[in-house]
Amino acid sequence: AQPETIVNYINDLADYAKASTIRRRISAISENYNASGDHVENPCRAWIVKEALIGLTRLKGTVQKGKTPIYWEEIEEMIHRMDLTSLQALRDRAVLLLGFMGAFRRSELAGLDVEDIKKYPQGIVVTIRHSKTDQTSAGQQIGIPYLSHSSMDCIHALQEWLTAAGITSGPLFRSFLKNGKVSSRRLSDKSINLIVKKYAASIGLKPEMYGAHSLRHGFATYAALQGVEERLIMKQTRHRSVEMVRRYINEADLFTNNPIDKIFNQPK
């Protein structure tokens, strides 16, 4: 490709993609050219490509727009408003609690099977067989301990859903048939997104600002608010880079180390 082609590609992506996505794609193209050897000229190194990326940053800025985090108290309120005599509510409660506690991506949550969950005296271990950060499918394991408060205990909620739905193997979270019965089909990641939006709206939040990622974002930020160290947050969220986790910690730090709090909310 010619440098002009790369610039045209950047301009085309700029219509709909985030700056970070565009930079990542150009970096991937550049790495492929580098791997081709010295006999192939890398068009991504051309000055007009570098200028196009600088202009992109000016146009779109560097602030990343993500879904608003959902905190533990908000999940408590969502569950408090559920009619837990409903099979769908039992499923949705388990989705929200497991999604938060495991800091799952929506594709990971949708892809779980009953066989991926092993019980231990201390809690459960969830095995993720396919993940964004596990390209070789080696598997990642997440521990979730029991909570003393049973209505908000993820493990208790999961067991109630599985027992009520009569699920013993296969997809963990499933869609419903028109007659209200549980189907054999796996719940899609888009459906998990809609579940989060639905319950965000139920407690008066703007649904367009929330999605499945709000659970993962919420766990990381809430853990930082509670003073959990970076290493332990990364262990649960399975972030390979500290950059994103530190963004969550910095977000929490706006309140934990706020001068207004130290001035007005200290005990007399």
Side-chain angles (χ1 to χ4, degrees), residues 34-264:
N34 290 341
S36 298
D38 295 335
H39 65 285
V40 179
E41 188 173 351
N42 187 343
C44 299
R45 292 179 179 172
W47 69 270
I48 61 170
V49 174
K50 293 178 181 178
E51 285 296 318
L53 289 172
I54 292 171
L56 175 74
T57 301
R58 291 197 192 107
L59 175 67
K60 288 182 168 281
T62 57
V63 176
Q64 299 298 307
K65 295 179 181 178
K67 291 299 181 185
T68 304
I70 289 176
Y71 295 121
W72 184 245
E73 292 83 1
E74 291 169 327
I75 294 178
E76 283 184 308
E77 189 177 351
M78 291 175 188
I79 291 174
H80 178 72
R81 291 171 180 265
M82 288 181 181
D83 175 13
L84 293 175
T85 61
S86 156
L87 197 56
Q88 183 172 331
L90 289 177
R91 180 201 66 185
D92 294 350
R93 177 181 64 168
V95 166
L96 293 176
L97 289 174
L98 186 62
F100 183 91
M101 291 293 195
F104 289 104
R105 298 175 178 89
R106 65 181 185 176
S107 59
E108 295 169 347
L109 201 55
L112 289 176
D113 290 335
V114 175
E115 291 80 4
D116 296 328
I117 297 175
K118 300 297 181 187
K119 285 189 175 182
Y120 294 88
Q122 303 93 332
I124 60 173
V125 172
V126 183
T127 299
I128 304 173
R129 305 197 182 278
H130 306 284
S131 175
K132 178 181 176 181
T133 55
D134 181 25
Q135 299 298 323
T136 60
S137 297
Q140 296 175 315
Q141 291 189 318
I142 302 164
I144 299 176
Y146 287 101
L147 296 186
S148 56
H149 193 344
S150 62
S151 67
M152 292 296 291
D153 177 41
C154 171
I155 303 167
H156 176 80
L158 265 179
Q159 191 55 58
E160 270 205 85
W161 153 244
L162 293 174
T163 301
I167 298 172
T168 56
S169 63
L172 182 65
F173 296 119
R174 306 184 184 193
S175 57
F176 289 94
L177 300 171
K178 289 183 179 179
N179 61 9
K181 293 184 177 180
V182 179
S183 76
S184 59
R185 290 185 293 118
R186 186 182 303 278
L187 196 66
S188 71
D189 61 343
K190 290 181 180 178
S191 295
I192 290 174
N193 212 38
L194 292 174
I195 287 171
V196 175
K197 288 179 179 295
K198 171 185 174 181
Y199 290 101
S202 75
I203 62 170
L205 302 176
K206 294 181 179 179
E208 64 272 16
M209 296 178 65
Y210 295 85
H213 187 71
S214 296
L215 298 173
R216 179 174 167 81
H217 187 171
F219 173 85
T221 308
Y222 192 72
L225 280 169
Q226 305 307 309
V228 179
E229 62 180 282
E230 181 182 278
R231 176 182 59 85
L232 292 178
I233 295 174
M234 288 184 69
K235 182 179 178 182
Q236 195 74 354
T237 63
R238 307 167 315 283
H239 279 102
R240 296 176 67 181
S241 166
V242 299
E243 182 183 352
M244 181 59 74
V245 175
R246 283 180 181 165
R247 188 180 299 164
Y248 297 147
I249 292 172
N250 289 339
E251 193 174 299
D253 201 47
L254 292 173
F255 296 100
T256 53
N257 287 307
N258 190 294
I260 296 173
D261 186 59
K262 294 186 180 298
I263 294 168
F264 297 104

Side-chain angles (χ1 to χ4, degrees), residues 1-13 22 26 29 33 43-44 46 48-49 52:
Q2 296 300 311
E4 292 79 7
T5 307
I6 304 296
V7 171
N8 288 337
Y9 180 53
I10 292 171
N11 291 335
D12 183 61
L13 289 174
I22 298 170
I26 300 305
I29 294 171
Y33 273 99
C44 299
I48 61 170
V49 174

